[in-house]
Amino acid sequence: MSSTELPGVRAAAAAVAPTVSTVRVAEGERLRSVELPGLTLTVRSRPSRRPGLPPALFVHGLGGSSQNWTALMPLLEDAVDCEALDLPGFGDSPPPDDGNYSVTGHARAVIRLLDAQGRGPAHLFGNSLGGAVATRVAAVRPDLVRTLTLVSPALPEIRVQRSAAPTALLALPGVASLFARLTRDWSAEDRTRGVMALCYGDPARVSDTGFRDAVAEMERRLELPYFWDAMARSARGIVDAYTLGGQHGLWRQAERVLAPTQLVYGGRDQLVSFRMARRASAAFRDARLLTLPDAGHVAMMEYPEAVAQAFRELLDECGGS
């Protein structure tokens, strides 16, 4: 049996590879670097169609980047002032000086960015890991969050889907370096196809151009010396957050969220179980639920129009601000 045929290796390597993106800087987007003490964050933005729009901040998932929101942001540029960040160690943001990749560490980065820019309260969006981060931000700093939109948030599950287990394996010491060695001969095209199969309800929705751009981004990210470390430590942070109880538990923090919340779940999600939609709807005190039967883990990339419409309805309910 070859190394690439070892049980779980192919699924695991796909699970920890960068979430499929499209282009590095789409038309109308701008990138800038924000220097904070011990932290440098890359922020992707789109100029608003008119001044004075309320701010919105988008937080990506494990292995992703601010590019994961490129399809959604243009659909909202007349309603909110859109910014998406690269979490520390992902996208174009370097690792944090303190090496803290926990959910709390990522949440602290979001809070520090909002505080430094004076952009709170903001409409906060989060996908997967970013959903857990956004939930924690909304719970501990309600003054910074106007509304919360969570796409397949990584909230603790008692029975994790089998297809999601390899991501948890990455948290074990030495596993990331093992994956790197076992898959060093894999092509960027194979890795990208694996990511699409894992994250999309229907990988055929990705255009040829989108696939080529995703392969180029895969190649770039795998060359970063800290890539596997950032992935492993962030995966460990998710596992640790799943095991926390008491006031620091994510479900307990979800119950503390005051902001109106829009939940989005995909029926074909292989990483966050569709059955968690009901529990999340009950946990968040002011929740609305959008279910997309054909969507996978990244509905904002697969069905951006539906996600945008759900947010607009949430915005209308909140008085348009």
Side-chain angles (χ1 to χ4, degrees):
M1 181 180 291
S2 69
S3 62
T4 54
E5 293 172 338
L6 290 172
V9 169
R10 182 169 295 278
V16 301
T19 302
V20 176
S21 302
T22 51
V23 294
R24 294 200 32 80
V25 184
E27 183 178 355
E29 290 182 347
R30 299 173 182 173
L31 290 181
R32 72 178 189 281
S33 183
V34 178
E35 300 285 342
L36 300 168
L39 195 65
T40 301
L41 298 174
T42 297
V43 177
R44 183 180 304 266
S45 62
R46 295 188 64 88
S48 301
R49 291 190 185 178
R50 54 187 174 86
L53 290 177
L57 183 64
F58 301 80
V59 187
H60 64 80
L62 180 67
S65 74
S66 57
Q67 294 184 71
N68 297 157
W69 303 99
T70 289
L72 181 63
M73 289 198 296
L75 303 179
L76 298 176
E77 62 186 2
D78 63 330
V80 290
D81 183 20
C82 297
E83 288 193 344
L85 86 159
D86 290 333
L87 289 170
F90 295 96
D92 289 302
S93 292
D97 288 355
D98 62 4
N100 188 345
Y101 288 101
S102 66
V103 171
T104 296
H106 286 312
R108 189 177 298 122
V110 172
I111 289 170
R112 291 173 65 185
L113 177 65
L114 289 172
D115 277 340
Q117 296 186 127
R119 281 177 61 86
H123 296 285
L124 190 59
F125 292 69
N127 169 234
S128 193
L129 164 64
V133 170
T135 297
R136 184 150 291 175
V137 171
V140 302
R141 287 293 303 274
D143 59 303
L144 292 179
V145 182
R146 296 188 186 203
T147 67
L148 191 61
T149 299
L150 305 177
V151 181
S152 297
L155 299 173
E157 299 184 39
I158 296 176
R159 292 185 295 112
V160 178
Q161 295 187 104
R162 182 177 299 178
S163 52
T167 303
L169 287 176
L170 184 66
L172 298 176
V175 171
S177 59
L178 174 64
F179 285 166
R181 292 196 303 273
L182 291 176
T183 64
R184 62 180 177 269
D185 295 328
W186 290 14
S187 69
E189 289 85 354
D190 287 341
R191 292 178 186 272
T192 302
R193 289 190 183 94
V195 174
M196 290 178 176
L198 188 69
C199 293
Y200 279 72
D202 179 8
R205 295 183 66 86
V206 181
S207 67
D208 291 342
T209 299
F211 178 78
R212 289 194 298 271
D213 290 336
V215 170
E217 174 66 2
M218 179 77 74
E219 292 172 336
R220 184 190 75 86
R221 296 280 291 281
L222 289 170
E223 290 297 320
L224 297 174
Y226 53 81
F227 168 72
W228 286 104
D229 185 59
M231 292 296 303
R233 289 173 182 258
S234 291
R236 194 170 303 140
I238 295 175
V239 172
D240 289 345
Y242 273 32
T243 61
L244 281 177
Q247 295 299 318
H248 299 291
L250 283 170
W251 284 114
R252 183 67 62 87
Q253 291 190 322
E255 294 170 354
R256 291 166 50 191
V257 170
L258 301 176
T261 301
Q262 175 67 60
L263 299 165
V264 182
Y265 281 83
R268 296 184 178 180
D269 194 332
Q270 299 182 63
L271 295 172
V272 171
S273 175
F274 185 72
R275 66 176 180 268
M276 300 307 294
R278 180 175 296 182
R279 180 174 180 182
S281 296
F284 290 92
R285 65 180 67 190
D286 187 7
R288 301 132 186 89
L289 176 63
L290 170 64
T291 58
L292 298 170
D294 294 326
H297 191 59
V298 287
M300 74 285 187
M301 301 172 70
E302 301 169 87
Y303 297 93
E305 294 83 3
V307 176
Q309 181 59 35
F311 173 72
R312 288 181 180 277
E313 292 172 2
L314 175 66
L315 198 61
D316 288 342
E317 289 183 30
C318 298
S321 63

